[in-house]
Amino acid sequence: MAACSFRRSIASQLSKVLDLPPENLIKSISAIPVSKKRCVADFQLSLASITKDTSSGCLAQNLNLQAQKLTEKLKCDAVVSEISAGPGTVNFTINRELLAKTVLQQVLKDGSEYGVRSELFSRVPRQKAVVEFSSPNIAKKFHIGHLRSTIVGNFIANLKVALGHEVVRINYLGDWGMQFGLLGVGFQCFGNKEKLQSSPLQHLYEVYVQINKAAEDENTKKLAQEFFRKLEEHDEQTLSLWKQFRDFSIEEYIRIYKRLGVHFDEYSGESFYQEKSQEVLKMLEDKGLLQKTMKGTGVVDLSEKKDLSSLATVMRGDGTSLYITRQVSPALFGAVCVDLAAAIDRMNKHSCDTMIYVTDKSQSNHFQHLFQILKLMGYDWAERCQHVSFGLVQGMKTRRGEVVFLEDVLDELRSRVMQNMAATKTTKELADPMETAEKVGLAALIIQDFQGLLSSDYQFSWARALQSRGDTGVFLQYTHARLQSLEQLHGKEQITDVDVTCLQEPDAISILQHLLRYDEVLYRSSQDLQPKHIVSYLLTLSHLVAVAHKTLPVKGSTPEVAQARLCLFQAARCVLATGMKLLGITPVSRM
């Protein structure tokens, strides 16, 4: 990795002056973000990160003085051409020709692995991670929260795989519970076998809406309870109908996820853990953790003082069913029995190092309780379970109104992008305009979603998401397509030997400096699992490329200059494409 060799060289010189091991210094040396206003150095050492003297009231002043003194002791060499002191920092400028040569060679050599081979990851052990995401409820709306869970979970899984970890992607379906009693009765009244086969999600939702109108009717309630009781008792006919609901729904989900570029290694669900939930209740009872309330509800006391001020419900009061909802509702607050069974089963089955659950932040308490109970049960690995939460999205409506199905969103994105593309002259030349529109639309959705902190709520805007200029997914796709056509126009073969003295213009240096930072950005995202660092990086890269495209033309330049610039643009496209794929975006070649 280009940045690594430079960091090591700087750390080596610093270690002699500071009398510290070079490895202690490497993480304190970071690439400086590119500035639009001025030329900046390439790396800086933050004195605050290596100084022990934090007690002084004049800390900032001391650090500035230390930076000045340290700068005076350091010397330029074949790698570093300039050293200067900043506010509490020492700044290093790399020899410009060496910068260009090293960065371009490294990007083109490593390809899609550029950045992940960095020594920043050398001490990170390779692990096995289970990531649970998407998790829609059969027969209910695939609401926007499920869409966020799908794209966030996919990003986390992609990032972990890119960094060399083993990942098991699990889709944990809401496929059990009293609502299936109601759905079963509804299907007996309003169901249609052909529609169930051809459009299961739509049809089951329509049936559920219809039967829900009669849900308060005593007779309907009785029939629903009876259907669900048969389901729990594994009545052959009832179970067969439920299995059709589940199997046809999964088939359709797989087809829709394919449009998103998302896949799962395992389709699990609440139905898998009904019997294992019994075992969990027995374990809780044996360990003296299960308590009964006056109403007969099974709870676990999670309060510090053991005064029942913080409870997790693990069994309903009537004791007739072990159905525990994953949706934390007021009626069954924090009921985690099925999730306990699922977590224990997964750990036994996969022997993973970490388990990550991706859901909206309203379920934070639920997962806090889940991990607490696992710890109380003696499972130390609960410490390695993580809930990645995200905020709510407002304003996601299609032209037909409120979003009910994921496919509605994908169709809407595609049709809006198709409309925009129809206005441009290049669209007519595309082999498959609909497929391109889908990829561009998905990029628009993902970038708008990933720009802020995942835990923040945000207002979705079709107009903002689909702008072709500015910080949007459409702009990323446009930049990639533009770079691709530049390569096709001037020769597709990879350039290996270029005259780097032709890449000394400020706009070329800015791109090289930015490419230098990629490993740090990946490292940051790997630490907090936030995609916004990568999004911000790719948008900046695209803006730098847009400027350089104008100021550093390939056409009309001398062969040496044209080759060097083409190589620079090739490296930028390679990193742009790799970053986009991590986010779950398929880069387009034309649009």
Side-chain angles (χ1 to χ4, degrees):
M1 179 70 200
C4 296
S5 62
F6 296 140
R7 277 192 211 100
R8 267 198 304 273
S9 180
I10 294 166
S12 169
Q13 198 189 153
L14 282 166
S15 77
K16 290 167 192 161
V17 176
L18 295 167
D19 198 23
L20 287 168
E23 51 275 18
N24 291 17
L25 295 164
I26 282 171
K27 280 205 176 162
S28 301
I29 301 164
S30 57
I32 301 173
V34 173
S35 166
K36 284 180 187 172
K37 295 174 187 158
R38 60 195 169 86
C39 291
V40 292
D42 304 306
F43 289 94
Q44 68 179 199
L45 168 77
S46 162
L47 268 292
S49 64
I50 59 163
T51 186
K52 293 190 177 93
D53 178 24
T54 53
S55 54
S56 171
C58 316
L59 183 61
Q61 217 173 339
N62 284 354
L63 289 175
N64 292 350
L65 197 62
Q66 282 178 43
Q68 196 66 52
K69 282 180 181 173
L70 182 55
T71 303
E72 288 161 14
K73 290 178 190 172
L74 296 165
K75 289 183 175 68
C76 295
D77 54 21
V79 175
V80 177
S81 61
E82 195 184 320
I83 303 169
S84 62
T89 62
V90 178
N91 303 323
F92 301 86
T93 301
I94 303 298
N95 172 304
R96 288 297 167 239
E97 287 176 27
L98 185 64
L99 173 74
K101 188 180 177 183
T102 312
V103 170
L104 296 181
Q105 276 182 356
Q106 197 79 53
V107 175
L108 299 175
K109 176 173 156 265
D110 289 353
S112 62
E113 290 194 333
Y114 178 73
V116 303
R117 289 183 173 184
S118 166
E119 64 189 10
L120 294 179
F121 298 105
S122 63
R123 291 187 186 177
V124 178
R126 297 290 171 263
Q127 294 187 324
K128 185 175 185 180
V130 164
V131 186
E132 180 201 295
F133 62 105
S134 196
S135 307
N137 297 301
I138 286 173
K140 290 190 178 178
K141 288 193 296 188
F142 190 110
H143 62 74
I144 197 64
H146 293 124
L147 177 55
R148 277 206 98 178
S149 174
T150 306
I151 59 177
V152 172
N154 189 48
F155 159 71
I156 291 169
N158 288 348
L159 182 62
K160 289 208 168 277
V161 167
L163 296 173
H165 304 295
E166 189 185 341
V167 174
V168 181
R169 302 162 188 248
I170 295 181
N171 197 343
Y172 186 69
L173 302 171
D175 64 354
W176 199 252
M178 195 54 88
Q179 77 266 30
F180 282 91
L182 202 55
L183 185 65
V185 173
F187 195 80
Q188 286 163 349
C189 300
F190 313 110
N192 178 305
K193 285 273 167 83
E194 285 76 33
K195 281 184 182 176
L196 177 66
Q197 217 161 341
S198 63
S199 185
L201 301 179
Q202 176 84 30
H203 185 54
L204 288 175
Y205 177 67
E206 284 166 359
V207 166
Y208 194 64
V209 167
Q210 274 186 286
I211 194 67
N212 243 323
K213 291 171 187 169
E216 292 308 306
D217 173 68
E218 283 306 315
N219 191 40
T220 306
K221 270 186 191 172
K222 259 185 201 156
L223 289 170
Q225 281 165 356
E226 180 62 19
F227 188 96
F228 186 56
R229 188 183 58 75
K230 282 183 178 177
L231 200 53
E232 287 191 304
E233 289 167 1
H234 296 176
D235 170 71
E236 207 175 309
Q237 215 177 340
T238 313
L239 207 57
S240 164
L241 184 59
W242 169 84
K243 204 171 179 314
Q244 284 180 61
F245 294 165
R246 191 181 192 276
D247 293 350
F248 287 140
S249 294
I250 288 175
E251 270 176 44
E252 193 170 0
Y253 276 133
I254 289 170
R255 183 182 60 76
I256 298 165
Y257 287 131
K258 202 173 174 185
R259 285 180 68 180
L260 272 171
V262 171
H263 73 276
F264 292 92
D265 301 302
E266 204 176 289
Y267 278 84
S268 176
E270 294 166 356
S271 60
F272 283 56
Y273 297 106
Q274 296 314 301
E275 283 172 29
K276 285 192 165 76
S277 295
Q278 292 269 27
E279 294 166 25
V280 166
L281 285 172
K282 187 162 187 342
M283 284 166 75
L284 289 168
E285 204 161 18
D286 292 347
K287 288 178 183 288
L289 295 169
L290 185 66
Q291 298 185 32
K292 285 274 179 82
T293 65
M294 299 285 283
K295 293 176 183 172
T297 307
V299 297
V300 175
D301 183 4
L302 297 172
S303 60
E304 274 184 46
K305 294 177 182 173
K306 298 295 168 205
D307 56 4
L308 300 179
S309 57
S310 174
L311 296 175
T313 304
V314 290
M315 191 178 73
R316 290 197 327 182
D318 57 13
T320 55
S321 164
L322 289 177
Y323 164 58
I324 315 281
T325 181
R326 288 197 64 208
Q327 305 303 108
V328 186
S329 67
L332 289 168
F333 175 71
V336 292
C337 195
V338 178
D339 279 359
L340 286 168
I344 295 163
D345 180 62
R346 276 176 205 171
M347 191 51 85
N348 290 340
K349 183 178 173 185
H350 297 293
S351 302
C352 53
D353 299 290
T354 179
M355 271 198 276
I356 299 168
Y357 298 82
V358 185
T359 73
D360 72 70
K361 61 186 179 186
S362 71
Q363 296 199 41
S364 293
N365 272 349
H366 171 76
F367 285 103
Q368 211 178 330
H369 288 173
L370 175 69
F371 304 155
Q372 274 180 283
I373 296 172
L374 285 168
K375 273 189 222 168
L376 289 172
M377 290 172 82
Y379 294 113
D380 295 341
W381 49 258
E383 296 279 357
R384 306 196 304 273
C385 293
Q386 187 179 357
H387 177 220
V388 175
S389 63
F390 52 81
L392 305 175
V393 184
Q394 282 100 22
M396 172 68 88
K397 286 193 163 82
T398 66
R399 288 187 179 98
R400 288 186 301 168
E402 190 197 355
V403 170
V404 176
F405 302 110
L406 172 58
E407 205 148 23
D408 295 342
V409 181
L410 299 180
D411 291 345
E412 183 83 10
L413 278 168
R414 190 171 60 190
S415 75
R416 284 182 187 250
V417 175
M418 284 286 288
Q419 228 174 0
N420 294 353
M421 278 168 39
T424 67
K425 53 182 184 236
T426 53
T427 307
K428 296 185 258 315
E429 301 159 23
L430 292 173
D432 190 343
M434 280 182 84
E435 193 185 336
T436 300
E438 183 126 302
K439 288 171 183 169
V440 172
L442 196 53
L445 177 78
I446 288 171
I447 295 301
Q448 178 153 309
D449 195 286
F450 285 179
Q451 270 181 301
L453 265 175
L454 291 177
S455 57
S456 305
D457 300 341
Y458 80 93
Q459 190 72 31
F460 181 83
S461 157
W462 289 104
R464 195 170 67 245
L466 295 169
Q467 279 172 357
S468 58
R469 289 285 178 273
D471 291 344
T472 66
V474 181
F475 178 55
L476 289 189
Q477 289 284 32
Y478 172 75
T479 304
H480 185 272
R482 198 179 190 186
L483 290 171
Q484 187 93 55
S485 71
L486 189 70
E487 282 176 43
Q488 284 167 340
L489 206 62
H490 298 280
K492 283 184 229 173
E493 73 286 344
Q494 195 166 303
I495 308 153
T496 47
D497 194 30
V498 296
D499 182 355
V500 290
T501 59
C502 301
L503 291 174
Q504 300 308 303
E505 300 88 349
D507 293 333
I509 298 293
S510 288
I511 291 177
L512 292 164
Q513 286 178 315
H514 197 60
L515 294 176
L516 201 56
R517 285 186 64 230
Y518 187 54
D519 66 337
E520 291 181 16
V521 172
L522 288 181
Y523 184 75
R524 204 167 163 199
S525 271
S526 75
Q527 292 299 292
D528 63 9
L529 301 182
Q530 294 285 336
K532 74 186 184 97
H533 313 303
I534 296 171
V535 169
S536 172
Y537 176 88
L538 297 180
L539 289 167
T540 299
L541 179 60
S542 297
H543 287 298
L544 293 172
V545 164
V547 171
H549 198 272
K550 288 177 191 161
T551 62
L552 308 173
V554 174
K555 195 178 175 185
S557 300
T558 63
E560 293 80 16
V561 171
Q563 281 282 84
R565 288 175 180 176
L566 203 53
C567 187
L568 178 71
F569 288 128
Q570 210 172 52
R573 188 193 64 76
C574 177
V575 174
L576 178 61
T578 306
M580 286 167 79
K581 286 172 191 168
L582 281 182
L583 297 172
I585 298 168
T586 305
V588 298
S589 302
R590 304 183 77 173
M591 62 181 278

